[in-house]
Amino acid sequence: MTWDWSAVREFMPYFWDGLRVTLEALALGSLISFSLGLMWTLLMRTPTRWVRWPVGAVTEFVRNTPLLVQLFFLFYVLPEWGLTFSALTTGVFAIGLHYSTYTMQVYRAGIEAVPAGQWEAATALSLPARRTWFAVILPQAVRRVVPPLGNYVISMLKDTPILMSITVLEMLGQARLFSQQHFQFTEPVTVIGVAFIVISYLASLLLRTLERRLVR
């Protein structure tokens, strides 16, 4: 087997298109995951069981079914009910929804790690619930949850190739397209593998830097 640099050069336009889609899916999926995860956490802490039970049932169902099954359901089943979205939109929402059930547990652990004295101080000062959460509890909880949330960002990155199953041409999808057109498999797949390693490493460095700044 010989390495063909000309195949790498020919693959690069495909690679940049795939990289753009991958990063877009990762950024939007992370945003949805973090937002929904926090919403699930706050809803699960409400005193009303008629809110907690449905939220708990939904999140347990999502967490315990494969992402691929959820992806197929959203992309192939929902259109039969009149709900049709683009492949990328469907993929981004599926990743965000799936991982929100994990970030939910991260937020829960972070909130429970806030010292009880902080809650008592807010109560003694007669702070309203909204201010207690957003001025006292959540700022402290966020500092504790950055590392595990960062791990899920990297996990979402590594799950983006699954979007190829619903025709989204992220990095691996572009590598497959190029390979089918040019009958060159080694070079594009290797480039994609290296790209995932580099992006994951850079993301971990960024997260460690952010963690150190928050701990100060």
Side-chain angles (χ1 to χ4, degrees):
M1 183 186 68
T2 59
W3 183 264
D4 188 352
W5 286 105
S6 63
V8 175
R9 289 192 295 271
E10 293 177 4
F11 172 63
M12 292 313 293
Y14 294 79
F15 169 76
W16 293 120
D17 286 343
L19 177 63
R20 177 185 56 79
V21 173
T22 296
L23 295 179
E24 182 179 350
L26 176 63
L28 296 177
S30 298
L31 180 61
I32 293 173
S33 172
F34 296 160
S35 302
L36 279 181
L38 181 58
M39 184 184 74
W40 301 142
T41 303
L42 297 179
L43 289 176
M44 287 296 292
R45 295 183 66 89
T46 60
T48 307
R49 62 181 180 178
W50 301 113
V51 174
R52 296 196 312 271
W53 287 2
V55 170
V58 169
T59 54
E60 282 296 320
F61 176 81
V62 173
R63 184 164 55 248
N64 290 287
T65 52
L67 174 57
L68 184 60
V69 173
Q70 297 165 16
L71 197 60
F72 275 27
F73 179 85
L74 294 173
F75 190 67
Y76 293 110
V77 177
L78 286 187
E80 296 182 2
W81 298 350
L83 298 174
T84 303
F85 304 96
S86 69
L88 181 58
T89 299
T90 301
V92 165
F93 181 74
I95 288 178
L97 175 64
H98 184 80
Y99 276 93
S100 72
T101 60
Y102 294 97
T103 59
M104 164 191 173
Q105 299 300 325
V106 174
Y107 285 123
R108 179 188 60 78
I111 291 171
E112 292 179 354
V114 175
Q118 299 294 313
W119 295 94
E120 295 169 357
T123 302
L125 293 172
S126 301
L127 295 180
R130 181 182 180 87
R131 188 173 179 187
T132 297
W133 276 106
F134 289 97
V136 179
I137 304 303
L138 289 181
Q140 297 181 65
V142 166
R143 296 177 182 177
R144 294 173 166 84
V145 302
V146 167
L149 287 180
N151 291 335
Y152 283 123
V153 170
I154 295 174
S155 295
M156 280 186 271
L157 169 67
K158 292 187 289 187
D159 271 347
T160 54
I162 203 172
L163 302 184
M164 182 176 60
S165 63
I166 59 168
T167 72
V168 175
L169 291 178
E170 40 64 63
M171 287 196 295
L172 187 60
Q174 290 287 1
R176 181 183 180 186
L177 177 63
F178 177 86
S179 299
Q180 291 173 340
Q181 293 176 346
H182 298 81
F183 303 101
Q184 296 275 2
F185 293 89
T186 302
E187 292 80 9
V189 174
T190 302
V191 169
I192 295 305
V194 172
F196 273 108
I197 293 173
V198 171
I199 296 172
S200 298
Y201 179 69
L202 293 176
S204 66
L205 290 179
L206 178 61
L207 290 166
R208 283 200 291 269
T209 301
L210 179 59
E211 180 183 358
R212 286 195 296 268
R213 288 182 177 274
L214 290 175
V215 170
R216 289 179 182 176

